[in-house]
Amino acid sequence: MQNVPSNFDIDLFSPIMKHISMLSKSGAYSGRVGSADANERDASYRIVADHLRGTIVALADGVVPSAVDSGFIIRKMLRRLFWHAVNRLGIDRFACSDLVPVVIDTLEPVFEVTSVEKVKGVAVLNGNVIGQATISEGSVVKQKINVERRVALMRAHTATHLLNWALRRVGAGRGQRGFAIDEDFLRFDYATDDCAGEEDTVENVESLIKNVVSEARNVMVQQMPFGDAAKIRSLQSEFKEVSSN
């Protein structure tokens, strides 16, 4: 602990807050909250600092501003931080870019692993370096898996299988067409010809899934050649898979 009143006073945020104060025409940040922050100026300081830092980390992770999913969240964060910077703090819109190197300097030198692939029998980690560190041949790195995030993703992934199974059991739609998961988010796409009776379908699907979850069944993973897996009659394959030799 650093014996400061809030997260925005720790050494992670204090350089950012100071630089925002230098650009602001409404006065320096004073740490006021609630009723003490009558004009909500200090709240705007915190919003700009938090949203800018979050946006930079997300961009480093490969998120691109767009109209859907994570990209849409980034767009909303950018719009909100610009609104508070310009309208509440009197900062020139284009001067906000001056804050980017300040934020980057506060980030810990971390290589975030965003995906893993196997190339000629070797596991290759793809990611981005955040902060001032560099990675080159011979660098020694310490790998740390975010267990909480990994478990959340596993849970969401398993949920897509349950949802697919339940939809097939009630005879809804024509099969899975895609999905997306995150720690606290799940999207499942499936094709359907008719939305009639949708409320009953949702209720039946929910009931089936709740029953399976309440049984606390074990989830097992087994790797095998695609040809062997295709021979297991109880397995359901959703997409045509092409195997290259």
Side-chain angles (χ1 to χ4, degrees), residues 142-160:
K142 180 179 180 181
Q143 182 176 347
K144 181 179 179 181
I145 296 175
N146 186 332
V147 177
E148 184 176 347
R149 171 175 166 78
R150 177 66 61 86
V151 171
L153 292 175
M154 292 169 63
R155 182 168 54 243
H157 191 170
T158 300
T160 65

Side-chain angles (χ1 to χ4, degrees), residues 154-169:
M154 292 169 63
R155 182 168 54 243
H157 191 170
T158 300
T160 65
H161 290 281
L162 287 174
L163 186 53
N164 189 22
W165 165 79
L167 285 167
R168 288 181 174 277
R169 283 291 299 271

Side-chain angles (χ1 to χ4, degrees), residues 117-214:
E117 60 180 328
K118 184 176 289 187
V119 179
K120 296 182 179 179
V122 177
V124 178
L125 310 182
N126 302 307
N128 307 284
V129 177
I130 299 177
Q132 299 301 306
T134 58
I135 294 180
S136 59
E137 184 177 355
S139 295
V140 178
V141 297
K142 180 179 180 181
Q143 182 176 347
K144 181 179 179 181
I145 296 175
N146 186 332
V147 177
E148 184 176 347
R149 171 175 166 78
R150 177 66 61 86
V151 171
L153 292 175
M154 292 169 63
R155 182 168 54 243
H157 191 170
T158 300
T160 65
H161 290 281
L162 287 174
L163 186 53
N164 189 22
W165 165 79
L167 285 167
R168 288 181 174 277
R169 283 291 299 271
V170 301
R174 293 183 282 108
Q176 179 182 344
R177 292 297 180 267
F179 73 95
I181 61 172
D182 207 332
E183 297 173 63
D184 55 0
F185 170 83
L186 164 63
R187 192 198 77 234
F188 188 84
D189 307 323
Y190 74 102
T192 182
D193 296 317
D194 187 5
C195 292
E198 183 176 326
E199 292 185 3
D200 290 339
T201 298
V202 171
E203 184 176 343
N204 291 334
V205 166
E206 184 176 357
S207 177
L208 283 169
I209 293 177
K210 283 184 176 179
N211 287 338
V212 173
V213 172
S214 67

